[in-house]
Amino acid sequence: FKSDQDCQIYDELAIWSRTLSEEEVKKLYNNGHGSEIYLANPLAAKSLAELRKIIRESPDAEGRYEAVRAAATKGEEATQLLIETLSDKSPGVGYGAAQSLGERGDASLDLALGLLKHKDKQQRTLGTIMLKHIGKKASPAVTVPALVKCLKDEHFDVRMNAADALAVLGDWAEAAVPALIEAASDEEWWVRREACMALASINTPEVRRAMIDIVTAERHAALGWQDKTVFMKHVNRDTELQDELAHAYGKWLLKKKGYINTFAARGTFGSGIKGLERLVKEKTPIPNDVAENIRRVLADKESALWPVDEKARKRLEAILKSMDAAKGEK
């Protein structure tokens, strides 16, 4: 898509064939954490026997998935079929079965815990997905230790989905904080990201301090924190913590060479500008490419990640001036 002034990138663009209601828009938007909107399942009217035939014989994975979701509405009589479908050759179809079973709550807990011990990595992954959808319908005293153990699994999908399941539990998963902090440095980016999202769902001083180190190590894995309204409310009450976070952002920028707009990295708890101001004050050497990016933004040749109002412009100009002065001293 191209505007009159610039080339824009749209993430997760969706085009709807009808006008969405205000309530549907809220569910979809909600910072990306709203409930999913499902269109009417075309297979919903079919009998369980018909759905079983589709699931077992159809070569179309999407069709099998729709049949699984339709079978989930048939009550207890569909339970065995859903359990059998966990072994479907398509991971997406198996996911649908795991989700459907998990949505039944505590009744599926033993099955989910059993899957976590399975030899097959895909089955262990489905166990974590079931626990995600069981959520707070089961005792955290049982589910949290099981998910924490999964954070050490050899397969990254199991680790990633275990962290995702812990995020659903929020403060109920407080006992998992040490393991999640460790997972935030996992070798796989997706695991690190989900661990950060889970931490952001747990509002404790320990978590709020840990996020500073995580931002310093890798800002991108921590981006999800910006959308956690309740979590950020606590951060925004702590001026000292906000300053430390801004400093962490600034230090992170020093690690990335030539990364477009990194100096403008922003979050509701502090921005790259504030972090750079502190670095300048401390006379920390700042790479030339950061200065070049600032010049490009000030010359309207580069789009910043935040509105460049007059106040922001003056702050950027002051940073440039200080950087040039420091360079002259050398």
Side-chain angles (χ1 to χ4, degrees):
F1 292 86
K2 200 166 186 179
S3 69
D4 292 337
Q5 298 180 336
D6 200 0
C7 180
Q8 305 292 327
I9 296 175
Y10 293 84
D11 185 33
E12 298 183 13
L13 176 68
I15 298 175
W16 298 84
S17 59
R18 60 178 174 80
T19 302
L20 298 181
S21 69
E22 185 177 343
E23 184 60 30
E24 288 175 321
V25 171
K26 287 180 180 178
K27 284 182 178 180
L28 277 173
Y29 182 64
N30 192 22
N31 289 326
H33 303 295
S35 302
E36 296 178 74
I37 293 177
Y38 295 101
L39 298 178
N41 191 327
L43 302 180
K46 291 189 177 293
S47 68
L48 184 59
E50 291 174 312
L51 294 172
R52 181 181 288 107
K53 182 176 176 63
I54 294 172
I55 293 171
R56 290 179 175 176
E57 301 178 9
S58 175
D60 176 31
E62 185 175 348
R64 297 202 304 279
Y65 173 83
E66 295 293 349
V68 167
R69 295 300 285 156
T73 67
K74 304 298 182 182
E76 289 298 321
E77 59 181 327
T79 300
Q80 187 56 42
L81 175 60
L82 293 174
I83 292 175
E84 293 171 4
T85 309
L86 291 170
S87 299
D88 191 277
K89 60 184 179 181
S90 167
V93 178
Y95 183 109
Q99 177 180 348
S100 300
L101 288 163
E103 288 170 346
R104 297 187 174 188
D106 191 56
S108 299
L109 180 59
D110 288 342
L111 175 60
L113 295 175
L115 286 177
L116 297 185
K117 301 175 184 178
H118 203 285
K119 291 186 296 184
D120 181 69
K121 61 187 180 183
Q122 182 60 25
Q123 293 299 302
R124 297 198 301 276
T125 300
L126 294 180
T128 62
I129 290 168
M130 284 181 64
L131 287 178
K132 172 186 175 179
H133 290 281
I134 292 173
K136 295 185 177 181
K137 297 174 184 175
S139 169
V142 175
T143 58
V144 171
L147 289 168
V148 165
K149 188 175 181 180
C150 288
L151 292 175
K152 293 285 190 180
D153 194 275
E154 62 181 2
H155 185 51
F156 89 91
D157 261 356
V158 178
R159 304 197 302 274
M160 176 182 71
N161 284 286
D164 190 28
L166 287 166
V168 172
L169 296 177
D171 286 340
W172 286 26
E174 184 177 347
V177 168
L180 286 169
I181 291 174
E182 185 176 350
S185 60
D186 191 275
E187 62 181 1
E188 292 288 344
W189 184 87
W190 284 105
V191 178
R192 298 197 297 273
R193 181 184 182 279
E194 294 306 324
C196 288
M197 295 296 284
L199 285 167
S201 300
I202 304 169
N203 293 310
T204 67
E206 180 186 6
V207 167
R208 293 194 283 276
R209 287 292 166 182
M211 69 187 288
I212 296 174
D213 293 331
I214 296 172
V215 169
T216 303
E218 182 181 9
R219 182 181 66 86
H220 280 121
L223 283 177
W225 284 338
Q226 299 175 16
D227 295 330
K228 296 290 185 178
T229 307
V230 176
F231 179 76
M232 293 316 307
K233 189 190 325 184
H234 291 276
V235 174
N236 290 334
R237 291 173 180 166
D238 190 331
T239 304
E240 180 183 349
L241 186 57
Q242 289 180 48
D243 186 57
E244 289 183 31
L245 280 167
H247 195 209
Y249 261 63
K251 287 189 289 185
W252 185 86
L253 300 179
L254 302 184
K255 297 184 176 185
K256 295 286 185 177
K257 278 194 153 186
Y259 190 87
I260 301 299
N261 289 334
T262 48
F263 74 90
R266 64 166 173 79
T268 40
F269 49 72
S271 69
I273 286 184
K274 187 175 180 181
L276 283 174
E277 287 173 333
R278 178 164 168 178
L279 292 176
V280 167
K281 185 177 180 180
E282 296 174 348
K283 296 184 178 181
T284 301
I286 299 175
N288 290 331
D289 64 310
V290 174
E292 180 57 29
N293 278 341
I294 294 176
R295 290 188 179 93
R296 288 179 61 79
V297 169
L298 289 174
D300 296 323
K301 293 181 179 179
E302 196 79 73
S303 298
L305 302 182
W306 31 257
V308 183
D309 56 19
E310 193 57 34
K311 183 178 180 181
R313 185 174 290 273
K314 288 181 178 179
R315 291 171 69 187
L316 287 173
E317 290 172 348
I319 290 172
L320 267 180
K321 186 176 180 180
S322 296
M323 290 174 66
D324 289 340
K327 190 175 180 180
E329 291 174 3
K330 291 180 181 179

